[in-house]
């Protein structure tokens, strides 16, 4: 009888004790205290990450387009733009540089449609994605915009410019009806003042509405950057995005978890994933 009572007491104590968090499998190069450890553990638990055969994750290695796509494909398992594009003509049927035996063929074919500006590359009737090309921090903006652009465009207009003018390695400039442009107050772009790729031009209508130049291109860049930086998904260093630097595997994982958390907080996560 005494043994039964002891076993029952032990069972009750286990049942009502505070659960201890279970850590994901630790990669050999992601020790406790590593700045990306929490995000890496999160992604392992979600079934997004697996390391190399030697047990390493290689956090400081530059990520390529295929790897980033596969991570997003696994985490946001409801997002498949190219399977059901809003306009049938936007569906991409083939990437010239992604054969069917490519290790990331399915994610690459499902995640991008013809509207994926800055990601897919058209040469007349042929489309390229360059799966092994390394992703820069500037490139990352285009990739994330192609995935969660709908959320980005919901950012209030009055929050966009204050964020953009605080980024020193892009140029923010205003233009008037004659096309004359002047650099926006507070914009201190360092080396890309005359480079249209890293320049965002805007104006205000008589109604006070904020508009951007170059059709939808500057609008895309403006809202994407403002949303990423404003939600602390993409961090600046001494007011710079370091736009030319490669995006590392660790940075990509941290950014993906932060996007997940933002979507969770605003109630839209279930649109993107069941995880």
């Amino acid at each position: 009888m005494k043994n039964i009572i002891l076993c029952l007491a032990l069972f009750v104590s286990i049942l009502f004790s505070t659960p201890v968090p279970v850590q994901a499998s630790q990669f050999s190069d992601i020790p406790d205290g590593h700045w990306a450890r929490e995000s890496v553990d999160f992604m392992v638990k979600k079934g997004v990450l697996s390391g190399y055969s030697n047990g390493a994750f290689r956090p400081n290695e530059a990520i390529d387009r295929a790897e980033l796509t596969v991570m997003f494909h696994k985490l946001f398992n409801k997002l498949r733009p190219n399977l059901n594009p809003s306009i049938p003509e936007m569906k991409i049927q083939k990437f010239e540089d992604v054969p069917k035996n490519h290790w990331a063929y399915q994610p690459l074919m499902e995640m991008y449609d013809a509207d994926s500006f800055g990601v897919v590359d058209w040469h007349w009737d042929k489309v390229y994605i360059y799966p092994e090309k390394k992703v820069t921090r500037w490139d990352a903006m285009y990739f994330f915009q192609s995935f969660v652009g709908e959320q980005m465009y919901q950012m209030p207009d009055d929050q966009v410019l204050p964020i953009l003018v605080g980024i020193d390695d892009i140029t923010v400039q205003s233009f008037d009806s004659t096309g004359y442009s002047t650099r926006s107050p507070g914009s201190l772009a360092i080396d890309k003042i005359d480079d249209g790729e890293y320049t965002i031009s805007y104006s205000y209508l008589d109604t006070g509405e904020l508009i951007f130049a170059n059709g939808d291109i500057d609008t895309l860049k403006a809202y994407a950057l403002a949303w990423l930086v404003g939600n602390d998904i993409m961090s600046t260093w001494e007011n710079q995005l370091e736009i030319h630097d490669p995006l590392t595997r660790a940075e990509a994982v941290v950014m993906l978890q932060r996007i997940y958390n933002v979507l969770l907080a605003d109630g839209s996560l279930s649109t993107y994933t069941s995880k």
Side-chain angles (χ1 to χ4, degrees), residues 33-251:
H34 189 282
W35 66 274
R37 174 63 189 266
E38 178 185 349
S39 296
V40 170
D41 283 346
F42 173 85
M43 290 298 188
V44 170
K45 291 176 184 178
K46 293 295 183 183
V48 174
L49 291 186
S50 58
Y52 293 88
S53 57
N54 63 356
F57 177 65
R58 301 180 187 172
N60 299 322
E61 186 172 296
I63 196 167
D64 65 33
R65 289 166 159 237
E67 291 171 330
L68 180 59
T69 301
V70 169
M71 286 185 185
F72 214 102
H73 185 268
K74 288 183 177 180
L75 181 61
F76 296 99
N77 60 355
K78 290 185 178 181
L79 187 66
R80 302 292 184 261
N82 199 47
L83 289 185
N84 298 293
S86 55
I87 303 174
E89 290 76 17
M90 300 297 286
K91 185 178 179 67
I92 291 177
Q93 302 293 340
K94 176 186 178 182
F95 286 117
E96 297 295 322
D97 50 356
V98 184
K100 290 186 177 180
N101 62 352
H102 190 282
W103 73 274
Y105 175 81
Q106 182 178 350
L108 288 167
M109 289 304 306
E110 293 182 355
M111 296 303 286
Y112 307 109
D113 60 19
D115 199 32
S116 300
F117 180 81
V119 178
V120 300
D121 188 12
W122 290 82
H123 288 268
W124 298 102
D125 60 340
K126 297 183 184 298
V127 194
Y128 297 83
I129 188 71
Y130 312 119
E132 278 72 49
K133 184 179 179 180
K134 300 302 182 182
V135 179
T136 66
R137 289 170 60 82
W138 181 255
D139 294 333
M141 176 265 297
Y142 288 122
F143 278 85
F144 293 129
Q145 192 281 331
S146 70
F147 299 139
V148 292
E150 184 176 342
Q151 299 301 119
M152 294 173 171
Y153 286 122
Q154 293 178 18
M155 190 165 202
D157 287 352
D158 60 0
Q159 294 181 21
V160 175
L161 281 182
I163 293 172
L164 296 179
V165 297
I167 303 173
D168 289 352
D169 45 356
I170 64 170
T171 302
V172 182
Q173 62 185 13
S174 63
F175 68 94
D176 59 25
S177 59
T178 67
Y180 177 75
S181 299
T182 57
R183 192 180 310 170
S184 180
S187 179
L188 301 174
I190 293 175
D191 63 348
K192 288 295 176 182
I193 295 173
D194 297 320
D195 193 322
E197 171 72 359
Y198 308 106
T199 298
I200 298 174
S201 298
Y202 72 95
S203 185
Y204 284 100
L205 298 177
D206 293 339
T207 59
E209 180 185 358
L210 178 67
I211 64 169
F212 292 93
N214 302 323
D216 294 332
I217 298 175
D218 277 16
T219 303
L220 181 155
K221 292 188 288 186
Y223 281 87
L225 283 176
W227 189 83
L228 289 167
V229 174
N231 284 292
D232 198 31
I233 294 166
M234 182 177 283
S235 302
T236 57
W237 175 257
E238 295 183 346
N239 298 327
Q240 294 190 50
L241 278 175
E242 300 177 323
I243 55 178
H244 303 297
D245 288 355
L247 186 73
T248 68
R249 288 167 56 82
E251 288 173 333

Side-chain angles (χ1 to χ4, degrees), residues 1-62:
M1 177 63 71
K2 182 182 294 184
N3 288 339
I4 294 175
I5 293 173
L6 286 174
C7 289
L8 182 61
L10 179 61
F11 173 78
V12 172
S13 67
I14 293 173
L15 183 63
F16 292 100
S17 62
T18 302
V20 177
V22 178
Q23 287 295 319
S25 300
Q26 181 175 336
F27 294 111
S28 59
D29 49 1
I30 304 288
D32 290 334
H34 189 282
W35 66 274
R37 174 63 189 266
E38 178 185 349
S39 296
V40 170
D41 283 346
F42 173 85
M43 290 298 188
V44 170
K45 291 176 184 178
K46 293 295 183 183
V48 174
L49 291 186
S50 58
Y52 293 88
S53 57
N54 63 356
F57 177 65
R58 301 180 187 172
N60 299 322
E61 186 172 296

